[in-house]
Amino acid sequence: MTHTLDSLNARFAISDHLRFSLSAPGLPVIDIQTPHASARVALQGAQVLTWQPTGQKPVLWVSKATVYAPGKGARGGVPVCWPWFGARAGLPAHGFVRTRLWEMRETRLDAAGQVVLHLGTADDASTRALWDHAFDLELVVTVGQTLSMALVTRNTGTAPFTITDALHTYFCVGDIAQTRVQGLDGCAYLDKVQDFAQLTQTGAVAFTGETDRIYLDTTADCLIEDLAWERSIRVAKQGSSSTVIWNPWREREKAFADMAAGEHREMLCVETCNAGPDQVTLAPGGTHTLSALISVA
Ligand code: TA6
């Protein structure tokens, strides 16, 4: 596997629509431009960094303070959390694939003029040291007027394994205080800010302080209503029975060296997950697909 820019462009560039560049030495990114949208996707972590449908403001948020460096995920876009979501004692938070250099497997333009990317990664000695299972993981990203991401887990070993995972999507909003998330009314959630107490959502989710919640048993679309920018973003999903909503707010934001002061006002995470008690067990040869479809209205 080689990641030199010349070899990536020779094999995978699409004339006028897709080229590789570097976000930092050793870190290739895919730059996409079509009549429908522009986007940037990092090979490290298979992390979608930007997506902007033509005529719209950017949809995905990335911190101005983010650092692009080998082994460090960017603060924003869509980090892939796998094979666990959240903390695990002595191991990297949100799993280990978000800081790994993924392999470019395929790029193409589909009949609708969307760019389709296949990025993959699989077990090796370094992943076995953290999680002793054989796997193949592929992220299929379709960039057009909508953004679709499908994370396909395959158990390539001889024993079952259990995962949690997330498309930990950071969205831009005009003003978090004037933003609501619809779709979770009546849903039970675990509130990380209150030591994982289980509570029930009433009405839309509104933001007045640190918010970090795993909504349980939900397959519903979420609708981000952004009153300041007068737009709504729909997050539809499949293969996911939990949704995480996160905003660090003023105090907690300071704990992140890769967030600038006040940036919590312009961002919000609505994460398509299998998280908390929502776990997926795969038999040998089994596959599971976690997917999100994002659209702007
Ligand atoms: O998904 C919410 C969350 O797990 C929060 O608890 C918060 O820590 C955030 O993700 C960011 O995590 P990270 O490991 O990227 O700093």
Side-chain angles (χ1 to χ4, degrees):
M1 176 175 44
T2 169
H3 284 104
T4 68
L5 272 191
D6 286 350
S7 64
L8 285 167
N9 276 315
R11 265 190 82 187
F12 297 110
I14 303 174
S15 182
D16 297 332
H17 297 309
L18 186 158
R19 278 202 74 75
F20 293 81
S21 62
L22 293 178
S23 61
L27 289 186
V29 289
I30 308 161
D31 289 313
I32 296 166
Q33 184 73 59
T34 75
H36 303 302
S38 61
R40 173 173 266 205
V41 180
L43 263 56
Q44 178 167 270
Q47 187 167 359
V48 180
L49 294 171
T50 66
W51 170 61
Q52 185 166 8
T54 303
Q56 291 288 341
K57 292 189 167 75
V59 177
L60 301 180
W61 179 85
V62 180
S63 171
K64 291 179 207 61
T66 202
V67 178
Y68 296 101
K72 175 136 184 58
R75 174 68 58 199
V78 190
V80 174
C81 306
W82 190 97
W84 58 83
F85 174 86
R88 188 168 280 198
L91 291 168
H94 290 319
F96 49 80
V97 299
R98 65 176 173 160
T99 53
R100 223 170 132 69
L101 203 55
W102 291 44
E103 140 195 30
M104 192 75 245
R105 292 185 175 168
E106 186 187 340
T107 58
R108 66 189 164 84
L109 204 59
D110 72 9
Q114 306 180 106
V115 169
V116 184
L117 312 171
H118 291 246
L119 294 127
T121 193
D123 61 295
D124 62 14
S126 71
T127 69
R128 290 284 189 144
L130 298 168
W131 192 68
D132 194 13
H133 297 284
F135 67 86
D136 183 84
L137 190 62
E138 188 158 282
L139 185 72
V140 183
V141 182
T142 306
V143 176
Q145 262 158 3
T146 60
L147 174 70
S148 117
M149 295 169 286
L151 181 68
V152 184
T153 303
R154 292 191 185 87
N155 182 344
T156 55
T158 53
F161 63 60
T162 297
I163 59 163
T164 50
D165 56 1
L167 297 164
H168 190 306
T169 312
Y170 289 76
F171 291 96
C172 293
V173 293
D175 175 6
I176 188 65
Q178 298 181 63
T179 299
R180 310 274 176 272
V181 178
Q182 302 282 1
L184 298 166
D185 184 24
C187 215
Y189 63 90
L190 301 177
D191 191 344
K192 190 168 167 190
V193 177
Q194 298 187 58
D195 203 18
F196 292 98
Q198 184 166 327
L199 302 166
T200 301
Q201 182 65 39
T202 310
V205 184
F207 300 88
T208 53
E210 184 183 355
T211 304
D212 193 348
R213 302 172 179 174
I214 303 176
Y215 284 86
L216 304 171
D217 294 323
T218 175
T219 57
D221 291 9
C222 281
L223 193 68
I224 302 169
E225 293 179 340
D226 178 341
L227 301 184
W229 280 359
E230 297 180 335
R231 76 172 181 186
S232 297
I233 300 170
R234 180 172 293 277
V235 186
K237 60 179 192 159
Q238 287 188 322
S240 156
S241 300
S242 42
T243 295
V244 168
I245 306 283
W246 180 56
N247 181 291
W249 214 252
R250 203 172 295 120
E251 286 311 308
R252 181 100 182 94
E253 167 190 275
K254 295 177 188 155
F256 298 94
D258 54 1
M259 272 186 87
E263 281 192 318
H264 71 278
R265 290 194 211 104
E266 57 187 54
M267 57 74 67
L268 164 68
C269 288
V270 176
E271 308 170 28
T272 298
C273 303
N274 295 286
D278 172 22
Q279 305 185 344
V280 176
T281 297
L282 287 182
T287 66
H288 173 260
T289 302
L290 171 73
S291 55
L293 178 66
I294 300 168
S295 53
V296 183

